């Protein structure tokens, strides 16, 4: 059986990218990424959320910016090396948690799965 056409690459593919470069998409230094983060934060305005779920958090650059808007934030990725960087970036934020999950194959416990 072949994978559906929408299927993402496997964890090994992404792990190899992070092995070669800890920030393979230049989330830290890219002006393009910076503009995307600004647009995301502008869309949130001053709203706060009880719970938030970030899929594909990578090294936690956006996670760090989302954190002040959330009472509880769960950020997930499939690459442990990326999660290690994200955990370090958000170490001072006890309301931010991280998990190694591949969505949609796995969902965190609770009310997160789509109905």
């Amino acid at each position: 059986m072949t994978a559906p056409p929408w299927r993402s690459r496997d964890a090994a593919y992404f792990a190899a990218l992070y092995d070669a470069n800890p920030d393979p998409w230049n989330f830290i230094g890219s002006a393009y990424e910076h503009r995307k983060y600004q647009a995301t934060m502008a869309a949130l305005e001053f709203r706060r959320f009880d719970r938030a779920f970030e899929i594909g958090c990578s090294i936690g650059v956006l996670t760090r910016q989302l954190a002040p808007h959330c009472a509880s934030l769960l950020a997930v990725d499939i690459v442990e090396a990326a999660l290690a960087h994200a955990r370090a970036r958000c170490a001072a934020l006890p309301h931010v948690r991280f998990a190694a999950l591949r969505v949609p194959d796995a969902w965190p416990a609770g009310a997160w799965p789509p109905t």
Side-chain angles (χ1 to χ4, degrees):
M1 179 175 185
T2 60
W6 50 264
R7 186 98 177 143
S8 179
R9 300 207 183 246
D10 64 12
Y13 171 84
F14 291 104
L17 290 176
Y18 284 99
D19 286 346
N21 179 349
D23 185 7
W25 290 276
N26 195 22
F27 290 135
I28 296 171
S30 167
Y32 169 76
E33 294 297 335
H34 182 72
R35 285 190 305 275
K36 284 190 345 185
Y37 299 145
Q38 285 180 318
T40 300
M41 302 318 294
L44 294 179
E45 297 174 328
F46 297 102
R47 289 181 279 187
R48 284 198 39 88
F49 303 90
D50 289 337
R51 293 177 10 145
F53 181 35
E54 181 188 10
I55 299 171
C57 68
S58 185
I59 59 174
V61 176
L62 180 59
T63 312
R64 179 91 173 109
Q65 294 178 47
L66 290 171
H69 293 270
C70 310
S72 174
L73 172 56
L74 174 61
V76 302
D77 204 285
I78 60 172
V79 178
E80 189 55 47
L83 287 168
H85 287 283
R87 284 184 187 103
R89 179 167 276 106
C90 297
L93 305 169
H95 66 292
V96 178
R97 296 176 299 122
F98 295 92
L101 291 177
R102 180 188 175 114
V103 175
D105 299 341
W107 287 89
W112 299 112
T115 56

